[in-house]
Amino acid sequence: MKSRSTHVSVVDDDESVREALPDLLRSFGATVEAFASADEFLNSNALEITQCMVLDIAMPGMTGPELRHELVRRGRQIPTIFITAIKDDDVRTRLMRDGAVECLFKPFTDEDLHQALRLAGAAD
């Protein structure tokens, strides 16, 4: 990991993901905050310090891709790793074309996530 920790925000409506993923990301040296919804993230102080995002694609309310578009609209280009339980290569292709760093299908391995963080510039 870089000498200064990268701040990663996890946005996923699945409580088990919000509990497990931060521990894994911390083991890679990141500082982490987890949010249950896009609105919760947008209304937090994390918006200004987030350097990488791990976003679920399908969430109630604003979806992960919609959140990413909202951040771009606000002028925030945050490297984004999407995660999803729905294996759809067309969705993955579209997200990657739209600028996502990676789109991982659940279940993914620790190494898959670590590699995606490297691609995002959030891990060595």
Side-chain angles (χ1 to χ4, degrees):
M1 204 72 196
K2 298 175 179 179
S3 58
R4 203 186 84 189
S5 292
T6 298
H7 189 84
V8 178
S9 288
V10 175
V11 184
D12 196 310
D13 61 314
D14 184 333
E15 185 176 358
S16 64
V17 172
R18 289 193 315 275
E19 290 176 356
L21 209 50
D23 289 338
L24 178 58
L25 292 164
R26 286 184 193 102
S27 78
F28 299 147
T31 59
V32 185
E33 285 183 78
F35 302 91
S37 69
D39 286 336
E40 186 180 324
F41 171 74
L42 289 171
N43 292 316
S44 76
N45 293 331
L47 180 60
E48 296 307 315
I49 61 171
T50 297
Q51 298 163 292
C52 181
M53 298 195 72
V54 178
L55 295 181
D56 188 15
I57 290 176
M59 296 184 288
M62 186 183 290
T63 67
E66 289 169 343
L67 172 56
R68 185 169 186 288
H69 287 291
E70 175 61 18
L71 293 171
V72 169
R73 189 189 70 74
R74 293 181 183 198
R76 294 281 292 138
Q77 294 285 350
I78 302 171
T80 303
I81 300 162
F82 285 102
I83 58 176
T84 183
I86 303 165
K87 187 167 177 22
D88 184 333
D89 289 323
D90 291 336
V91 169
R92 182 183 188 281
T93 299
R94 188 182 77 244
L95 291 169
M96 298 295 289
R97 187 179 56 240
D98 288 347
V101 170
E102 184 57 274
C103 180
L104 301 174
F105 298 121
K106 299 174 188 175
F108 49 84
T109 67
D110 295 0
E111 183 52 37
D112 290 338
L113 182 59
H114 199 200
Q115 179 60 31
L117 288 170
R118 286 187 202 103
L119 290 171
D124 292 331

